[in-house]
Amino acid sequence: MREVDVMGVRVEMPSNQPIVLLREIAGERYLPIWIGAVEATAIAFAQQGVVPPRPLTHDLMKDILAATDNPLTEVRITDVNDGVFYATLIFASGAEVSARPSDSIALALRTGTTIYCAESVLDEAGLSVPAEEEDEVERFREFLDHVSPEDFEST
């Protein structure tokens, strides 16, 4: 397992499909995962520190974990089959629950939980970004600094 960081979410054109972009902490690979608009908004809210007037599903899950004293200890992106990604939530109690990566990432961002990705997933679906392409990555980061959750609302 390799630790990854959430770079952010964006809308892939021309399909208008949101993606979340993860980056390998100790390496040069990036992992794009196509996600739904609702999950993209949940991830963007968490990254921007937006607190909705009423808790969203991931906020509710965070509150349940705190109330039951069973914190989330790590998120693992475990597999990819035919373009479908799979994740596992690992809890302090030792329980493991299968989940979509998008939900897992949204919950991890709210709880400050570390996200890991299986080496095999990075090998299969990861994109290597050599140092000379770092300028493009920087432009993507700049885009992420200016994107808002409203950009992911369906029309």
Side-chain angles (χ1 to χ4, degrees):
M1 290 286 185
R2 308 282 294 197
E3 186 176 349
V4 294
D5 192 22
V6 180
M7 299 300 297
V9 291
R10 68 170 289 202
V11 176
E12 182 67 26
M13 298 308 261
S15 67
N16 217 24
Q17 178 72 34
I19 64 169
V20 61
L21 184 65
L22 305 176
R23 179 182 57 86
E24 183 179 29
I25 297 288
E28 60 181 33
R29 292 179 289 186
Y30 289 77
L31 182 67
I33 300 176
W34 279 258
I35 60 175
V38 172
E39 293 79 10
T41 300
I43 291 168
F45 273 8
Q47 285 198 301
Q48 295 173 4
V50 174
V51 179
R54 301 205 37 174
L56 299 175
T57 303
H58 302 97
D59 302 307
L60 175 63
M61 292 170 64
K62 173 188 162 205
D63 293 345
I64 290 170
L65 294 175
T68 59
D69 197 30
N70 190 21
L72 182 64
T73 57
E74 64 184 61
V75 164
R76 297 178 186 163
I77 299 171
T78 56
D79 202 4
V80 58
N81 288 317
D82 296 325
V84 177
F85 290 82
Y86 298 85
T88 303
L89 303 173
I90 311 295
F91 298 93
S93 67
E96 296 185 10
V97 176
S98 178
R100 296 183 304 183
S102 55
D103 290 325
S104 302
I105 292 165
L107 185 57
L109 289 172
R110 283 166 173 74
T111 59
T113 303
T114 304
I115 303 169
Y116 296 96
C117 185
E119 186 79 33
S120 60
V121 172
L122 287 166
D123 288 344
E124 182 175 338
L127 305 171
S128 218
V129 179
E132 61 268 11
E133 293 181 22
E134 199 60 39
D135 288 343
E136 187 172 335
V137 173
E138 188 55 42
R139 285 193 301 276
F140 179 69
R141 286 185 186 132
E142 188 174 310
F143 165 81
L144 294 175
D145 289 340
H146 297 94
V147 72
S148 73
E150 291 78 27
D151 294 334
F152 301 103
E153 292 178 357
S154 16
T155 54

